[in-house]
Amino acid sequence: MGEQQNVKFPQETVDEYAALGVDLPALFSAGHLGTRMGVRIVEASAERVVGTMPVEGNTQPYGLLHGGASAVLAETLGSVGSMLHGGSSKIAVGVDLNCTHHRGVRSGLVTGVATPLHRGRSTATYEIVISDEAGRRVCSARLTCLLRDIDADDEARARPAQG
């Protein structure tokens, strides 16, 4: 899913994935799209996922943070939380994303914080609050992910190539 550095994960979660031969920080990264947009995940657990994204490079023609960029940040953070909730035997697939944009931002860094609203056996729903550097809410989002069993193709993608 792309590279991610310095993500703070609970140690028991890191150990669970390491026992399966999975590089957890690489697996639960911002992915290729998030990497291109400058998304950085700084903290990740099933209870709370925190990430940042620069406004620069993610704006619409009027110079404001693009709503789609906020949606990418929200879906990334909510998906990581859902995947961590589901554990190593599940994969999270977004099925519903709702974003309400409250204010425009022209510069700086926005921070998203995802917290669970529902964590079940087959679905997980997270609320994601995106704020500007002054702590003002820029966007409120809600993401629901389907949690499905990992299949052989998923497992092959999650494990590094053996050489």
Side-chain angles (χ1 to χ4, degrees):
M1 272 184 123
E3 290 185 28
Q4 190 66 42
Q5 304 296 326
N6 304 318
V7 180
K8 179 182 165 192
F9 288 101
Q11 189 58 49
E12 63 273 8
T13 305
V14 172
D15 295 343
E16 174 187 352
Y17 283 84
L20 298 170
V22 175
D23 179 358
L24 184 67
L27 180 64
F28 293 107
S29 72
H32 297 297
L33 175 61
T35 299
R36 279 196 305 272
M37 295 179 70
V39 172
R40 297 207 37 95
I41 299 170
V42 296
E43 176 187 334
S45 72
E47 292 76 30
R48 178 179 156 98
V49 182
V50 180
T52 62
M53 181 180 66
V55 173
E56 185 176 342
N58 294 312
T59 58
Q60 40 89 308
Y62 296 108
L64 297 168
L65 178 65
H66 195 291
S70 293
V72 168
L73 178 60
E75 184 149 356
T76 298
L77 301 179
S79 292
V80 168
S82 295
M83 292 167 78
L84 290 170
H85 165 66
S88 59
S89 66
K90 299 281 186 178
I91 187 170
V93 180
V95 294
D96 182 61
L97 176 65
N98 173 286
C99 297
T100 300
H101 307 288
H102 304 292
R103 69 181 332 112
V105 181
R106 292 188 182 278
S107 64
L109 202 64
V110 292
T111 300
V113 178
T115 54
L117 296 174
H118 167 77
R119 290 186 293 169
R121 288 179 293 156
S122 60
T123 62
T125 301
Y126 280 74
E127 175 184 45
I128 304 93
V129 174
I130 300 173
S131 303
D132 65 13
E133 290 178 315
R136 297 174 298 200
R137 189 179 290 226
V138 172
C139 176
S140 298
R142 187 187 67 247
L143 173 71
T144 298
C145 288
L146 172 69
L147 301 173
R148 67 166 177 79
D149 292 334
I150 289 180
D151 63 26
D153 287 339
D154 299 324
E155 284 186 18
R157 287 184 181 92
R159 284 162 180 67
Q162 302 297 318

